[in-house]
């Protein structure tokens, strides 16, 4: 029970989507001297709104605290960079972008996507709340303002003559605490004939794929297509096209324009996906309320596997230190008693410890030295890439393990 209002429609939140107990912020990796200090744990309890079906977390931490000085720079996988380049090529062509256009990206990070537009001589602007990250982008020649995006920032940019032909928001919508302010800001910054594209994990895939570990404090909202369509139309934006992508376990890429701009007809995929979601029950509470039991069952199966492995004297280590790994480890109560260490290619994470579980993060070379029996892939969405990279563990009979959607061993 909770009396907080829905982040979008303000209806009181009454229904639990899933309660994952308490967890520290998943990106607060610890240095060794912090291990003996107290850590703050926050409830990780997701609700579903009975009116608009937005799945959401309560906000316990100010976004400034989470994103104001982001502790690390994402280590991009090769497949993600390839995805970004393909997107830039597609967008430049589809929207006829040239040296008179402006591409604005919200939560642009260090400019890893915008640089593909820059290479095409298309003017760019990044908006990135983490000041240290924005500084790095500017130093690398990607013009970036260090601001949280919303109506105020949009008005300020617009008054400086900035308006977007293409306004991009990839994996940012989930992170936005003031959803209405954010989408209203996009309406202001978009040129009359411009397009907004956004990518975000698809709630339908999260539920079907049992991806409970993608729920963490930094992700405030989880969207079905039906709900995001309602959100955009409430702010005078019309979604006119949609694609389903394999990224992050199954994402949507939506294309939106001003409601007044009829030059882009609504493509058939839009009503098709809405119909699919309606048929699958996404306008009924029951579709959401079954999730919780599946998650509890998965926890028991993961623990059964891990206890059995250790009883047999097997050694188990992890690969990766993603946010989702932290949700899973903390929810299942696993620390170094279950996973001795994990490895990550990002030098920003190496030498640190996972929040809550205190599992040390080492360099991948460590795996060759200790020759573990099981390598648990925490970023399961990158399973194929990691299995290829780490194929040599098979030389000593090592096996890969993935926990989501269910426990599976790859010999
Ligand atoms: Zn609502």
């Amino acid at each position: 029970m909770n009396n907080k209002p829905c982040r979008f429609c303000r209806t009181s939140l009454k229904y639990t989507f899933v309660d994952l107990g308490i967890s520290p912020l998943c990106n607060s990796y610890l240095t060794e001297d912090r291990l003996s200090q107290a850590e703050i744990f926050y409830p990780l309890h997701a609700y579903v709104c009975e009116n608009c079906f937005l799945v959401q977390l309560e906000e316990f931490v100010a976004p400034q605290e989470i994103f104001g000085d982001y502790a690390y720079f994402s280590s991009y996988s090769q497949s993600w960079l390839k995805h970004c380049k393909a997107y830039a090529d597609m967008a430049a062509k589809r929207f006829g972008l040239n040296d008179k256009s402006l591409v604005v990206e919200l939560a642009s990070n260090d400019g890893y996507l915008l640089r593909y537009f820059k290479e095409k001589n298309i003017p760019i602007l990044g908006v990135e709340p983490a000041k240290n990250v924005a500084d790095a982008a500017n130093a690398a020649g990607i013009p970036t303002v260090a601001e949280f995006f919303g109506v105020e920032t949009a008005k300020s940019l617009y008054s400086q003559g900035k308006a977007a032909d293409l306004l991009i928001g990839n994996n940012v919508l989930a992170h936005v605490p003031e959803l209405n302010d954010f989408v209203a800001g996009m309406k202001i910054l978009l040129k009359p004939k411009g397009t907004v594209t956004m990518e975000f994990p698809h709630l339908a895939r999260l539920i079907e794929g049992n991806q409970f570990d993608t729920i963490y404090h930094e992700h405030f909202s989880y969207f079905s297509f039906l709900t995001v369509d309602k959100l955009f139309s409430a702010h005078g934006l019309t979604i006119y096209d949609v694609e389903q992508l394999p990224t992050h376990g199954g994402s949507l890429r939506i294309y939106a324009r001003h409601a007044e701009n009829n030059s882009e007809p609504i493509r058939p995929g839009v009503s098709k996906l809405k119909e699919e979601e309606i048929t699958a029950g996404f306008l009924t509470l029951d579709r959401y309320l079954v999730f919780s039991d599946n998650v509890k069952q998965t926890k028991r199966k993961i623990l059964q596997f891990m206890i059995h492995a250790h009883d047999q004297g097997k050694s188990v280590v992890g690969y990766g230190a993603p946010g989702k790994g932290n949700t899973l480890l903390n929810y299942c109560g696993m620390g170094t008693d279950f996973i001795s260490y994990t490895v990550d290619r990002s030098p920003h994470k190496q030498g640190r410890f996972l929040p809550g579980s205190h599992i040390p993060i080492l360099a991948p070379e460590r795996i060759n030295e200790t020759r573990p029996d099981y390598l648990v892939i925490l970023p399961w969405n990158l399973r194929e890439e990691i299995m290829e990279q780490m194929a040599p563990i098979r030389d000593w009979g090592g096996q890969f393990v993935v926990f989501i959607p269910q426990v599976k061993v790859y010999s």
Side-chain angles (χ1 to χ4, degrees), residues 113-187:
L113 169 61
L114 284 175
R115 74 186 164 95
Y116 293 116
F117 290 97
K118 192 184 173 189
E119 282 169 8
K120 298 175 195 296
N121 289 320
I122 299 165
I124 51 173
L125 177 68
V127 182
E128 167 55 48
K131 173 117 187 7
N132 58 332
V133 180
D135 288 347
N138 279 310
I142 307 292
T144 303
V145 292
E147 294 285 352
F148 277 87
F149 186 77
V151 167
E152 199 186 317
T153 303
K155 278 185 177 161
S156 147
L157 291 171
Y158 192 80
S159 71
Q160 297 162 42
K162 308 277 188 199
D165 295 273
L166 174 61
L167 184 52
I168 308 169
N170 287 343
N171 299 305
V172 58
L173 205 55
H175 294 87
V176 172
E178 299 296 335
L179 258 189
N180 289 310
D181 182 61
F182 188 87
V183 180
M186 294 198 290
K187 173 84 181 167

Side-chain angles (χ1 to χ4, degrees), residues 5-11 13 48-54 56:
C6 167
R7 180 164 281 125
F8 167 37
C9 77
R10 316 307 294 173
T11 302
L13 297 172
V48 56
C49 172
E50 65 192 291
N51 178 53
C52 72
F53 300 103
L54 180 67
Q56 56 201 292

Side-chain angles (χ1 to χ4, degrees), residues 303-325:
L303 287 170
Q304 274 162 9
F305 170 82
M306 292 296 271
I307 291 167
H308 185 66
H310 284 283
D311 280 349
Q312 289 191 315
K314 306 278 190 198
S315 53
V316 186
V317 308
Y319 188 99
K324 55 167 81 70

Side-chain angles (χ1 to χ4, degrees), residues 39-301:
E39 246 178 302
I40 305 176
F41 282 59
Y42 300 92
L44 193 49
H45 189 155
Y47 293 87
V48 56
C49 172
E50 65 192 291
N51 178 53
C52 72
F53 300 103
L54 180 67
V55 170
Q56 56 201 292
L57 293 182
E58 245 183 278
E59 192 180 321
F60 288 100
V61 198
Q64 281 78 1
E65 201 174 311
I66 299 181
F67 303 112
D69 187 24
Y70 220 27
Y72 78 103
F73 295 77
S74 307
S75 48
Y76 308 112
S77 69
Q78 286 307 311
S79 58
W80 179 249
L81 291 175
K82 219 168 117 191
H83 171 80
C84 291
K85 183 173 189 311
Y87 166 81
D89 291 345
M90 176 284 293
K93 200 167 153 217
R94 178 165 178 175
F95 305 118
L97 302 173
N98 56 41
D99 59 358
K100 305 281 185 300
S101 312
L102 179 64
V103 175
V104 179
E105 187 185 12
L106 309 177
S108 53
N109 213 300
D110 60 2
Y112 67 92
L113 169 61
L114 284 175
R115 74 186 164 95
Y116 293 116
F117 290 97
K118 192 184 173 189
E119 282 169 8
K120 298 175 195 296
N121 289 320
I122 299 165
I124 51 173
L125 177 68
V127 182
E128 167 55 48
K131 173 117 187 7
N132 58 332
V133 180
D135 288 347
N138 279 310
I142 307 292
T144 303
V145 292
E147 294 285 352
F148 277 87
F149 186 77
V151 167
E152 199 186 317
T153 303
K155 278 185 177 161
S156 147
L157 291 171
Y158 192 80
S159 71
Q160 297 162 42
K162 308 277 188 199
D165 295 273
L166 174 61
L167 184 52
I168 308 169
N170 287 343
N171 299 305
V172 58
L173 205 55
H175 294 87
V176 172
E178 299 296 335
L179 258 189
N180 289 310
D181 182 61
F182 188 87
V183 180
M186 294 198 290
K187 173 84 181 167
I188 294 168
L189 197 58
L190 189 66
K191 278 190 189 166
K193 301 267 180 193
T195 285
V196 174
T197 77
M198 304 206 98
E199 293 178 25
F200 50 88
H202 189 188
L203 179 61
R205 299 288 94 75
L206 185 158
I207 293 177
E208 290 162 10
N210 199 24
Q211 302 165 357
F212 70 87
D213 58 342
T214 61
I215 297 173
Y216 42 84
H217 297 106
E218 289 82 342
H219 287 171
F220 299 119
S221 311
Y222 304 82
F223 301 90
S224 67
F225 184 54
L226 290 163
T227 298
V228 86
D229 186 65
K230 252 186 238 170
L231 169 67
F232 274 63
S233 64
H235 293 282
L237 294 166
T238 299
I239 297 179
Y240 68 86
D241 203 358
V242 61
E243 288 169 51
Q244 301 192 55
L245 310 171
T247 48
H248 296 286
S251 296
L252 292 180
R253 178 188 286 153
I254 56 167
Y255 296 75
R257 56 159 165 81
H258 287 287
E260 306 80 18
N261 168 17
N262 291 320
S263 63
E264 289 283 5
I266 297 174
R267 310 300 197 273
V270 171
S271 51
K272 187 165 167 282
L273 184 55
K274 282 189 204 168
E275 283 307 317
E276 276 173 30
E277 285 193 353
I278 292 168
T279 307
F282 282 92
L283 292 183
T284 61
L285 263 179
D286 289 349
R287 184 71 193 94
Y288 301 85
L289 301 183
V290 295
F291 185 64
S292 190
D293 280 339
N294 294 341
V295 173
K296 288 180 204 160
Q297 193 187 39
T298 305
K299 173 176 176 171
R300 294 195 297 271
K301 289 196 168 150

